[in-house]
Amino acid sequence: MAPTGTQYKKILKEIADNLTFSDVGSLKFVCRGKIGAAALDKVPNREPLKLFKLLEERLFISQEDLTCLRCILEQIQRIDLVGKIPDEFCKQSSVDVVDSGDMESAGPVSGSVVASDVVSPYRVLLKTVADELTSDSISEMKFLLDVPDGIGEKLQDGQSLFTHLEGIGKLSEDNFTDLKDLLNDVHRMDLIRKIEEFSINEAQPIPPLQYTRDPASCYSMQRPYGFALIINIRIFEGTTEDGYVLNERRGSEVDLENLNGLWEDLGFIVEKYENLKAHRICTVVTDMVMKINKNQGSSCFVCCIMTHGAMGKIYGSDSNFVNIKHVTDAFKEANCPALAGKPKLFFIQACRGRQKLTGRTLPGSTGSSNTATPATGVAPTTTHSTNAAMQQQTQQTQGLDADAVPAEPTATTDEDDNVNDTAFRHTADPNEAHFLLGYSTAPGYVSMRSIDHGTWYVNALVKIFGKYHTTEDVMQMMVRVNGKVTEAFSAQGYKQCPVPVFTLAKSIYF
């Protein structure tokens, strides 16, 4: 069936609704040189439809052909939006274009321009180099350029910095001298090598980023993706069913704020709760299911729970427990049909036993040495044991804690934990497709928390997802999280190993 004008407009509107402020800036950046800078600068980053209108005027896109739009979306790594353009809207026919470096002077043409004419290899190179620059490198480069403060405030990323260099005549397709000097001064030899590889043979430049994601193998995701429920229990009252007093989870407020920022940035509607009693946790979960079923617009659901825990259960602020299975079952297809066939991600920051995973001990450690939280490399924190009830007071005064119920005087054996884990897997792990349960630690073991910087697990999760969400799927990032957490160890040599359990059927890209 031939594409219609209505379908075409709906596609552009849907893509525009899912583009962020920075996405539009990146699209404009890769189009520079083929569309005049003056015309692009008139398009506000908050109005992507105006950019699409400009592309139409320059005949880069039309109702008959959206190939060029696919191309530039690939270059800014929004492959999820590439999949929203049906094949019938794309052609590979070419037309003659006057390539003057500025489409303002191009002669009139009919039809639309092929994808290779809208994104030059030079722009692809600059985009690649810009994306590799850290904020520290950008600050150092602005200092070396002696950029006035008023202008420097506007140069917050590599793309804006390179646009400035082009504007003052220090960067062009045949002149990388100043850029290479700057990169040398900030010790980015890897990026100099990319430029030199491009310059060696411009007839065979660095190829554009390859489209490797098959839309059929990815969950359909549309912003806002859905709800992210965050529950953090810091303060406890009363005693557990075994008569133990649960310590305050100092430092957990850091995790709460970090997760709130992460999920908002990734495109979720965040709802956060603190210090809920056990029955209130159940009520909040039930209310969330009702809200999702009512709205019917979610592509995904995220739930983060941070509290004290034991095998297969978590504790409310009243020291009563809730089975993890009760929480996850609420979002199964039978109870939450709005999430049928859609990914449901649960991240549980809580201990799953009382054992401590042993690793290497720091040379000369006496039990009071320092270590840093993973993913951040922040200031060291003191470690100590949490395996005896008599040490509760010590836990409150030192820097590293565990989200576990205090242990009984007789330590739990490995054999007992294996039995408990077998029973646990029959009741708590997902037995329905499209679930991910990210546990902060292995069955039977404690989970570490810094009173200054939050938990090891959440620290790594926020850092990795924030850095790699534009290029990697969720499971790839979870592997990175595991690697980051398992790199850390306490002064006594204690370690931690997260355990993601999943029944996902496709890849998840944010």
Side-chain angles (χ1 to χ4, degrees), residues 92-373:
Q92 294 300 330
S93 59
S94 63
V95 296
D96 294 327
V97 179
V98 179
D99 187 2
S100 64
D102 187 341
M103 280 300 297
E104 300 284 356
S105 59
V109 294
S110 60
S112 63
V113 183
V114 292
S116 59
D117 284 320
V118 71
V119 183
S120 71
Y122 166 68
R123 303 311 299 181
V124 173
L125 172 70
L126 292 189
K127 178 70 167 57
T128 302
V129 174
D131 288 346
E132 293 286 338
L133 287 174
T134 65
S135 56
D136 288 341
S137 294
I138 292 169
S139 296
E140 293 173 3
M141 292 170 76
K142 289 193 294 184
F143 175 79
L144 293 168
L145 286 168
D146 197 20
V147 177
D149 291 341
I151 297 176
E153 290 177 355
K154 302 175 182 177
L155 309 181
Q156 297 300 317
D157 55 35
Q159 295 175 30
S160 59
L161 179 61
F162 290 171
T163 300
H164 174 71
L165 287 174
E166 288 178 313
I168 61 176
K170 290 183 177 290
L171 177 62
S172 65
E173 192 164 355
D174 56 2
N175 178 21
F176 291 100
T177 302
D178 292 294
L179 177 56
K180 290 200 294 185
D181 287 344
L182 286 170
L183 292 172
N184 181 68
D185 290 337
V186 298
H187 311 295
R188 291 306 304 267
M189 303 305 182
D190 56 324
L191 300 183
I192 293 176
R193 189 177 301 113
K194 287 181 182 292
I195 295 172
E196 289 176 343
E197 289 172 355
F198 172 85
S199 301
I200 288 172
N201 188 358
E202 290 188 17
Q204 296 179 343
I206 297 174
L209 299 171
Q210 297 297 310
Y211 172 32
T212 58
R213 300 181 195 171
D214 176 11
S217 65
C218 302
Y219 286 103
S220 176
M221 302 285 286
Q222 183 172 348
R223 291 174 179 250
Y225 297 132
F227 292 98
L229 174 62
I230 306 175
I231 298 174
N232 180 50
I233 314 298
R234 172 176 173 170
I235 301 172
F236 299 82
E237 58 186 25
T239 61
T240 68
E241 68 275 17
D242 298 323
Y244 292 109
V245 176
L246 299 176
N247 294 324
E248 177 183 350
R249 296 181 59 254
R250 291 190 295 166
S252 64
E253 67 279 4
V254 178
D255 288 342
L256 180 65
E257 292 308 310
N258 286 343
L259 285 171
N260 182 80
L262 172 69
W263 298 121
E264 282 187 346
D265 289 346
L266 292 188
F268 285 84
I269 302 168
V270 176
E271 291 196 7
K272 58 182 180 179
Y273 297 87
E274 297 184 77
N275 301 322
L276 298 178
K277 295 182 179 180
H279 75 276
R280 278 287 294 144
I281 293 176
C282 297
T283 301
V284 165
V285 167
T286 301
D287 291 345
M288 176 57 67
V289 170
M290 294 175 61
K291 187 175 297 185
I292 293 172
N293 284 331
K294 180 180 179 180
N295 291 344
Q296 294 286 323
S298 296
S299 299
C300 179
F301 172 68
V302 170
C303 178
C304 301
I305 299 178
M306 301 168 288
T307 182
H308 284 300
M311 187 69 75
K313 58 188 179 184
I314 53 175
Y315 285 93
S317 63
D318 55 358
S319 297
N320 291 322
F321 71 85
V322 176
N323 286 320
I324 295 175
K325 177 179 171 59
H326 177 86
V327 177
T328 57
D329 278 0
F331 297 91
K332 286 186 174 180
E333 184 173 339
N335 302 316
C336 192
L339 288 178
K342 299 176 182 179
K344 294 159 277 281
L345 314 181
F346 294 82
F347 301 96
I348 310 296
Q349 167 53 50
C351 288
R352 303 173 72 188
R354 296 163 180 156
Q355 292 191 89
K356 289 187 175 179
L357 185 64
T358 55
R360 60 192 174 116
T361 302
L362 286 175
S365 172
T366 61
S368 60
S369 299
N370 294 328
T371 185
T373 55

Side-chain angles (χ1 to χ4, degrees), residues 368-439:
S368 60
S369 299
N370 294 328
T371 185
T373 55
T376 60
V378 290
T381 52
T382 308
T383 185
H384 56 88
S385 172
T386 59
N387 278 346
M390 67 181 65
Q391 293 179 326
Q392 289 184 19
Q393 181 63 36
T394 305
Q395 291 176 355
Q396 294 172 0
T397 58
Q398 295 188 354
L400 198 66
D401 211 338
D403 287 337
V405 178
E408 296 177 4
T410 302
T412 306
T413 66
D414 287 343
E415 181 178 359
D416 290 338
D417 278 324
N418 287 336
V419 172
N420 290 338
D421 187 33
T422 300
F424 165 74
R425 289 189 177 278
H426 285 298
T427 58
D429 282 354
N431 56 10
E432 181 176 288
H434 315 298
F435 276 83
L436 165 68
L437 270 67
Y439 293 104

